[in-house]
Amino acid sequence: MSGTPELTFQQTIPRYLVHRAAVAEVFLTDSVVLGDDHFMVAAQWPRDHALYHPDGEGRTDPLLFAETIRQTLVYLSHQHYRVPLGHRFVGRDMALAIADPDAVRVGSEPLPVTLETRWIRVGNDSPRRQGMRVEVVLMVGGAVCGRGHLSGVAVDETYYRRLRGQPGRGRAPAHGPAAGPGRVPGGMVGRLRDKDSVLQRDDRSGEWRLRADLDHAILFDHPADHLPLMVMFEGFRQLGHLLVHGADTPDPPRGAHALVSLASECLAWAELDVPTRLVVRADSGTEDRTGSRRVSIDAVQQDSVVMTSEMLWAPVGRGTGGTKPGVPGPRDV
């Protein structure tokens, strides 16, 4: 885009501006204002990551894109829209789509990406509450390769406690850490380490459960009083991977499927001290004419759906043989 100030990738922004405790988990590096509620945001994606690692062909994990969108909303809120640092953020819905998985390969250096971002105000703002939505276009080397959005609300502590209804609930998990019989090995859910698996099989009921370890250094980068959005995304992704690939390793063979889109809606708080069931609402089971497979999963607590997900898994081959779906619009993700 001619006339746009140059973005830099020399260092990350301060970690408090994206609500991260670990500097290593900050991916944003810079931003410029393009116009009213219009920004360009820069990020650097690592060559490797303990959780969001590239696949065997070097394609970036799509949940790294999701975390970058989350950081973008929080950063712009504080940096450009005067949201106080003490405010809490509550997500409402989020979606992403990778139009060209091969475009987000990590090579011999970390991958610089840019997000052209539109900021949309949602509802009536007040000093105690601000609603917002960001819509982003993902670019690598100036070429569009994905889109996404995230909407939510930022509230002060008093307002947040009122929303929670029961202050202090969820601070200690009744079910303990993610361990024990039935826990799915990391390789079966697309993760390299067993401790990164958040999926557990309940042989008594034949159900799947989300069992996130509160001591996990990335999923719980800092203390939380409910299951964070990215933890829920991880549960959906892992169960989707298992359904589509079965017992394949994290480096599936040629013809395997990659997650290319994920859309989710938050319906209620996902509490830490209430068992979370992952229920497969719909699974095409077979591939469509493009070779893709659609999977819908709900997160359920006490018979109430707290979060929904819609995923599309598309075949991606090795080298240049992968599928490259068309770039979806914001409403398509």
Side-chain angles (χ1 to χ4, degrees):
M1 188 176 296
S2 61
T4 300
E6 184 176 355
L7 291 163
T8 65
F9 300 85
Q10 293 302 313
Q11 61 186 14
T12 60
I13 64 173
R15 57 190 174 86
Y16 64 84
L17 290 177
V18 293
H19 295 192
R20 277 289 173 245
V23 174
E25 297 307 315
V26 179
F27 304 120
L28 303 191
T29 63
D30 197 10
S31 70
V32 295
V33 179
L34 301 180
D36 291 342
D37 301 323
H38 189 195
F39 306 89
M40 192 70 78
V41 178
Q44 186 188 71
W45 287 351
R47 295 178 63 190
D48 200 2
H49 189 270
L51 182 64
Y52 306 128
H53 56 81
D55 66 14
E57 289 296 299
R59 288 177 289 262
T60 298
D61 189 312
L63 291 200
L64 188 55
F65 181 26
E67 172 60 16
T68 304
I69 297 173
R70 188 202 65 79
Q71 292 189 14
T72 296
L73 180 140
V74 176
Y75 169 65
L76 293 180
S77 297
H78 293 315
Q79 189 75 1
H80 296 281
Y81 292 93
R82 299 181 180 178
V83 173
L85 291 174
H87 273 38
R88 303 283 199 105
F89 284 77
V90 182
R92 288 183 169 172
D93 64 85
M94 187 176 189
L96 62 91
I98 303 292
D100 183 1
D102 286 327
V104 290
R105 289 178 183 270
V106 178
S108 58
E109 297 180 349
L111 182 66
V113 303
T114 55
L115 278 66
E116 184 177 356
T117 305
R118 297 282 183 176
W119 178 279
I120 302 170
R121 293 174 175 83
V122 179
N124 297 321
D125 289 347
S126 73
R128 299 179 60 187
R129 179 194 181 281
Q130 295 187 49
M132 72 285 291
R133 173 186 173 98
V134 291
E135 295 184 349
V136 307
V137 176
L138 174 67
M139 290 180 283
V140 175
V144 175
C145 57
R147 297 180 187 269
H149 74 253
L150 171 61
S151 66
V153 60
V155 299
D156 68 11
E157 188 66 25
T158 300
Y159 200 110
Y160 181 79
R161 290 183 181 278
R162 184 188 305 171
L163 288 175
R164 292 295 280 127
Q166 297 177 328
R169 181 184 179 186
R171 295 188 184 276
H175 51 66
R183 184 181 183 189
V184 179
M188 292 179 63
V189 293
R191 291 304 181 214
L192 296 175
R193 307 180 304 180
D194 287 345
K195 71 176 183 178
D196 294 329
S197 172
V198 301
L199 195 62
Q200 185 168 18
R201 180 74 171 181
D202 189 334
D203 293 331
R204 293 170 299 178
S205 64
E207 295 180 342
W208 301 99
R209 294 183 181 271
L210 190 152
R211 297 291 296 270
D213 186 348
L214 298 186
D215 290 327
H216 195 285
I218 299 171
L219 293 175
F220 289 91
D221 169 79
H222 54 275
D225 67 351
H226 62 278
L227 289 170
L229 178 68
M230 291 303 297
V231 174
M232 304 297 288
F233 264 36
E234 187 64 28
F236 293 141
R237 179 206 172 279
Q238 290 191 15
L239 181 51
H241 185 282
L242 183 64
L243 293 172
V244 172
H245 296 116
D248 281 348
T249 66
D251 183 15
R254 181 182 178 89
H257 290 64
L259 177 63
V260 295
S261 74
L262 171 59
S264 191
E265 183 178 4
C266 304
L267 303 177
W269 299 100
E271 302 291 355
L272 293 175
D273 59 352
V274 179
T276 304
R277 295 183 293 125
L278 297 180
V279 179
V280 181
R281 173 165 34 90
D283 180 2
S284 62
T286 57
E287 302 169 3
D288 61 20
R289 60 182 180 81
T290 68
S292 300
R293 181 168 169 179
R294 296 184 180 275
V295 179
S296 302
I297 298 171
D298 293 337
V300 179
Q301 290 189 339
Q302 297 180 334
D303 297 324
S304 295
V305 177
V306 296
M307 195 168 179
T308 66
S309 71
E310 307 281 345
M311 291 177 283
L312 178 65
W313 295 77
V316 180
R318 296 184 181 273
T320 59
T323 297
K324 295 184 179 181
V327 180
R331 294 184 179 179
D332 297 324
V333 301

